[in-house]
Amino acid sequence: MAKTTSMDPTSFDALPLDKGITASRQRIEAMERLLERVVVLPGINRPIGLDVVLGLVPVVGDIAAAALGSYIIWEARNLGLSKFQMLRMMGNVGFDAVLGFVPLVGDAADILFRSNTRNLRIIRKHLDKHHPSGVTLEG
């Protein structure tokens, strides 16, 4: 079993690779942070991430952002979320991807509709209910 380390919220280089609940949660939270909250957009003080940046590249960027968002869904499947929860998560990523194909509207939607944050919320709710020992306190 790989050694898990405490992860600094601003660092992505110390992610655990084992298959435990806590390790999966840390990887999911890191991916969500990368996609949705890497830097704060000056002027409007809204955090943005790789999802917004990729959304600026027509078609290919939206496909890449959807693929990265699908990683969170894949991790959720390994955690045993129900089919209904998985469908909701796929719907969130799909809706974000479809909006992304519309010029300008998709760019604004990437800032306002955060599919990966919604999916993280679904996963946290599931883990807090079914695996309370893996609950982590946010700072």
Side-chain angles (χ1 to χ4, degrees):
M1 188 182 248
K3 180 182 174 188
T4 58
T5 59
S6 175
M7 189 171 111
D8 177 28
T10 60
S11 171
F12 293 101
D13 57 354
L15 292 175
L17 299 176
D18 61 347
K19 296 182 181 186
I21 301 292
T22 305
S24 291
R25 184 179 186 130
Q26 288 176 345
R27 287 190 302 268
I28 292 167
E29 288 173 348
M31 180 61 83
E32 185 271 339
R33 195 169 37 257
L34 175 69
L35 291 171
E36 303 290 4
R37 302 180 280 125
V38 173
V39 297
V40 175
L41 196 62
I44 61 172
N45 292 331
R46 293 267 313 176
I48 62 167
L50 193 58
D51 190 20
V52 173
V53 175
L54 288 172
L56 296 174
V57 179
V59 183
V60 176
D62 296 312
I63 292 171
L68 290 171
S70 297
Y71 171 77
I72 294 174
I73 297 171
W74 179 77
E75 282 275 3
R77 181 188 65 91
N78 293 338
L79 291 172
L81 272 71
S82 70
K83 288 182 182 183
F84 176 72
Q85 290 168 319
M86 298 295 294
L87 285 173
R88 281 182 56 202
M89 292 174 66
M90 285 186 262
N92 287 336
V93 171
F95 183 69
D96 190 25
V98 168
L99 281 178
F101 289 126
V102 180
L104 298 178
V105 172
D107 299 329
D110 281 336
I111 294 173
L112 300 174
F113 183 79
R114 298 176 180 272
S115 63
N116 301 300
T117 302
R118 291 170 185 256
N119 289 344
L120 177 61
R121 194 174 309 129
I122 292 169
I123 293 168
R124 280 182 176 162
K125 186 175 179 182
H126 171 81
L127 291 177
D128 291 350
K129 180 178 179 182
H130 297 286
H131 303 283
S133 63
V135 173
T136 57
L137 299 176
E138 295 180 25

